[in-house]
Amino acid sequence: MNRVVVTGLGPVSSIGIGVSAFTDGLREGRSGISPIRSFDASGFPHRNAGEVPGFRPEALLDRIDVACWGRSAQFAAAAARLALADSGLDPAAVAPERAGVVVGTTSGESVVVEAVTAQQVESGFGGMDPDLLRQVPAGRLAHAVSTELDLAGESLTLATACSASNYAIGYAYDMLATGEAEVMFAGGADSVCRWAHAGFYRLGALTADACSPFDRDRSGILTGEGGAILMLETLDHARARGARVYAEVLGYGVNCDANHPVAPDRGSIAACMRAAHRNASVKPADVDYICAHGTGTPANDSVEAQAIFDVFGDRVPPVSSIKSMMGHTMGAASGFGAIAGTLAIAHGFLPPTINWANPDPALSGLDPVPNTARQARVRVVQNNGFAFGGNNAIVLIGAVE
């Protein structure tokens, strides 16, 4: 089995675009939350989200025609382009069929679906724009990356909702570990859209102004968006080309309890952690930091914390949630978590949970790294990703020995 390493990072987020800006955003505890601009939110009581206001795809993309692709595909392709540039890889040095892409998503191109639906309601099926209809399939997220980077290997979109990026990283890990590929681009992309905002509001899971994970008075999520892609390659391939290596993907675990449409399951999450540890050959005591799913809802944070206590006992590492800064970026969420965890290892710091004010007595013993980033020696990171339907996926990332 080949060892798999991270050599390129491509964050397109509300707290920064590109590695340098994203790292600064994490260190500063920057909030990327702002009033929604991508759709008319005036009818909603809650009108904030983690949009990416400075996103100019035409400035980042070289090959694909921006007008032919939806916003989520643009995020995926731009993030992959950034990851490639960050890696220093010459694409010509890799056979196209030995490089592939796996992208996770929740909503796919729901912004496009909403647009063509509005056309259909107003003018019937004949009024639907064929060019927009071509942008609808969620599979185009991975296809956009393959087209932008001229890849001919695996090209797959996974729709396992809010844990989808970790599923994608696990899939890419397997491709590389087994020798089916030499280079893989993995992560996720999603866009702020009306239906997700409305859906979470109707579920009672949407907060008004600030997401406060692990705080006693936490009241819900804020939706977010962006693209988070990591370039992974085999360690041998990276060393042969003299690449800078950020970290190693040690392994992953996935399970699906299908216990409830939306409620997380403590036992299943704990089992997923244990499976990830076994796959990565690490013990709970080896983990220095947990990048939490940490949505800021009362249910998720309580269940996630209790599962952590079940697995880690009285030795719980620091646990923070970057969703406090960016909102819930849906299918991209655990991709951003993987990037944050990789940067924590590479630069020796713990990203904070911002908007935290009141300790929750029920979560006593959990250190959320409140409000301010912390310098730390980080060797192993556990990156949690959980989704509706009981889709759990956890990735372990470590320093390269």
Side-chain angles (χ1 to χ4, degrees):
M1 297 286 283
N2 296 313
R3 293 172 66 184
V4 177
V5 293
V6 183
T7 55
L9 301 174
V12 179
S13 82
S14 61
I15 65 168
I17 297 174
V19 177
S20 179
F22 186 73
T23 304
D24 289 346
L26 292 176
R27 285 188 183 275
E28 295 167 11
R30 183 183 301 157
S31 174
I33 305 304
S34 60
I36 292 171
R37 296 179 177 87
S38 57
F39 64 88
D40 180 5
S42 60
F44 290 95
H46 303 336
R47 303 169 189 166
N48 290 329
E51 294 179 323
V52 187
F55 182 52
R56 294 178 54 245
E58 66 279 0
L60 298 172
L61 298 170
D62 293 341
R63 298 187 75 242
I64 66 173
D65 182 353
V66 171
C68 297
W69 301 83
R71 186 170 174 87
S72 295
Q74 293 171 10
F75 278 140
R81 175 60 72 184
L82 289 171
L84 175 63
D86 184 51
S87 75
L89 174 69
D90 177 4
V94 181
E97 66 275 8
R98 297 285 289 162
V101 54
V102 192
V103 178
T105 192
T106 295
S107 304
E109 294 293 10
S110 287
V111 173
V112 178
V113 173
E114 290 172 1
V116 294
T117 300
Q119 292 174 344
Q120 190 271 332
V121 169
E122 181 178 352
S123 306
F125 288 107
M128 300 168 77
D129 182 348
D131 290 332
L132 278 182
L133 285 170
R134 292 188 187 97
Q135 298 177 17
V136 167
R140 284 172 60 86
L141 273 64
H143 183 42
V145 175
S146 297
T147 303
E148 172 64 20
L149 302 185
D150 197 23
L151 310 179
E154 191 87 0
S155 187
L156 178 67
T157 300
L158 298 174
T160 45
C162 303
S163 56
S165 283
N166 269 356
Y167 274 88
I169 292 168
Y171 191 104
Y173 170 87
D174 285 343
M175 291 284 294
L176 293 162
T178 58
E180 294 182 66
E182 291 179 333
V183 174
M184 292 291 293
F185 294 84
D190 260 305
S191 304
V192 165
C193 58
R194 178 185 292 274
W195 82 261
H197 189 83
F200 280 102
Y201 175 73
R202 294 294 292 168
L203 284 170
L206 199 66
T207 194
D209 299 310
C211 176
S212 308
F214 306 113
D215 186 277
R216 180 195 65 199
D217 301 326
R218 63 191 181 274
S219 57
I221 77 163
L222 289 169
T223 58
E225 67 177 5
I229 299 290
L230 298 84
M231 198 187 99
L232 310 178
E233 58 186 303
T234 64
L235 178 60
D236 288 346
H237 189 270
R239 285 178 170 166
R241 70 180 185 87
R244 173 217 45 222
V245 175
Y246 281 111
E248 180 174 2
V249 180
L250 301 175
Y252 70 98
V254 296
N255 65 11
C256 181
D257 55 74
N259 181 59
H260 189 277
V262 297
D265 182 86
R266 173 177 174 176
S268 178
I269 290 172
C272 191
M273 292 183 197
R274 294 186 178 106
H277 293 170
R278 286 194 301 271
N279 183 259
S281 297
V282 303
K283 299 178 177 65
D286 298 329
V287 177
D288 299 306
Y289 166 60
I290 297 175
C291 190
H293 188 58
T295 61
T297 64
N300 175 88
D301 294 4
S302 175
V303 171
E304 183 172 11
Q306 294 305 321
I308 289 170
F309 295 150
D310 289 345
V311 173
F312 287 84
D314 59 2
R315 194 277 179 192
V316 177
V319 180
S320 72
S321 173
I322 62 173
K323 290 181 179 68
S324 60
M325 295 179 256
M326 305 167 56
H328 194 335
T329 55
M330 305 297 161
S334 52
F336 283 120
I339 293 175
T342 298
L343 292 170
I345 291 168
H347 298 299
F349 76 100
L350 304 179
T353 303
I354 67 170
N355 307 317
W356 191 92
N358 304 293
D360 185 342
L363 307 183
S364 177
L366 186 142
D367 170 12
V369 194
N371 300 315
T372 304
R374 183 186 306 163
Q375 293 300 115
R377 183 175 184 267
V378 183
R379 306 297 291 172
V380 177
V381 171
Q382 176 177 309
N383 181 44
N384 289 352
F386 314 130
F388 285 172
N391 284 297
N392 306 313
I394 294 171
V395 169
L396 273 297
I397 302 167
V400 176
E401 302 296 343

